[in-house]
Amino acid sequence: MVRLNERLKKIYDQVRPGESVCDVGTDHGYVPLALLESGISEKVIMSDISAGSLLKCKENAEALLPDAAPFDLRQGSGIEVLESGEVDTVIMAGMGGMLITEILGKDYHHSHSFKRYILQPRKHVGRLRYWLLDNDFTVVHEDLAREGKFIWPILTVESFGRALFVNADPDDIEFEYPLTLLDHRNEHTEEYIKNALRLERLKLESKSEGSLTTFKELRTQKHRVERLEYMAERL
Ligand SMILES: C[S@@+](CC[C@H](N)C(=O)[O-])C[C@H]1O[C@@H](n2cnc3c(N)ncnc32)[C@H](O)[C@@H]1O
């Protein structure tokens, strides 16, 4: 039986029954293998840029689901391994947020040919959210999952756009900690927000003491703290 930790299980849970899936950067392949095993997806593609990762995935697949062979394993970068519209849902997990934007940004029509994405960035989630909004993708579900000492965001994204506001900056805290995190709160939300608030307060303290801090930097940092205080009061 394929075993999933909390992070992988929450990614798995975002796939709807009957959807075909490609897991980009699959490495161990556990999520697509679990989807095949449970019958949630009949068609899964496992892809990775690394031959070593793909070999690991193949060995796991043959050991865990010998009856499901042959497996659709593809080596290559991002969604280049797919024909346009070839699957319903693309998963990209455990990759940097900026790498995800590079993969999606290569070809607008190709990336919009897939209906849904399940994205679990390791870094730069604010910049990823900004980029998605700016490129006609909409976050329809937010989740948080614990893995060891980390709490990771998981974004379910659909391929339709809403008009972007003006004067936004990719580093704005609103993209890192959107209010939708409160709408989709779970057992990790309080710790996630309070940790962020603690770190941002420490930064404010050190910026307040720094003689080189500009007024604008101080105001921005104060805004970051107040934003998180606003969210913490509504947990
Ligand atoms: C940290 S692992 C994540 C594995 C799994 N998705 C997870 O969330 O547990 C990142 C994987 O992404 C793969 N990767 C990195 N850049 C990639 C790209 N441009 N296209 C496809 N895979 C990539 C790496 O080879 C590696 O196997």
Side-chain angles (χ1 to χ4, degrees), residues 34 39 66 69 142-143 158 169 178 210-211:
E142 292 270 1
D143 212 343
E158 291 190 356
D169 185 289
S211 56

Side-chain angles (χ1 to χ4, degrees), residues 7-8 11 23-29 31 47-50 53-54 56 76-79 91-95 99 103 120 122 147:
R7 178 179 64 91
L8 298 178
I11 293 168
D23 186 25
V24 168
T26 196
D27 193 31
H28 41 72
V31 173
S47 84
D48 206 289
I49 201 165
S50 142
S53 291
L54 221 48
K56 185 198 308 180
S77 178
I79 51 177
I91 298 172
M92 286 191 255
M95 297 160 86
L99 174 59
I103 288 173
Q120 188 275 295
R122 293 256 151 163
E147 191 174 53

Side-chain angles (χ1 to χ4, degrees), residues 1 14 20 28 37 40 57 65 79 83 88 111 117 138 142 152 170 176-177 202 208 218 235:
M1 187 178 168
Q14 283 304 304
S20 53
H28 41 72
E37 184 179 46
I40 294 279
C57 177
L65 298 181
I79 51 177
E83 298 291 324
D88 300 308
S111 56
Y117 287 89
T138 297
E142 292 270 1
W152 299 115
E176 253 169 284
Y177 300 99
L202 284 175
S208 307
L218 206 57
L235 283 168

Side-chain angles (χ1 to χ4, degrees), residues 2 4 12 21-23 26 28-38 41 44-47 57 65 91:
V2 185
L4 301 180
Y12 167 99
V21 170
C22 176
D23 186 25
T26 196
H28 41 72
Y30 290 145
V31 173
L33 291 174
L35 289 166
L36 261 187
E37 184 179 46
S38 64
S41 301
V44 301
I45 298 168
M46 295 169 265
S47 84
C57 177
L65 298 181
I91 298 172

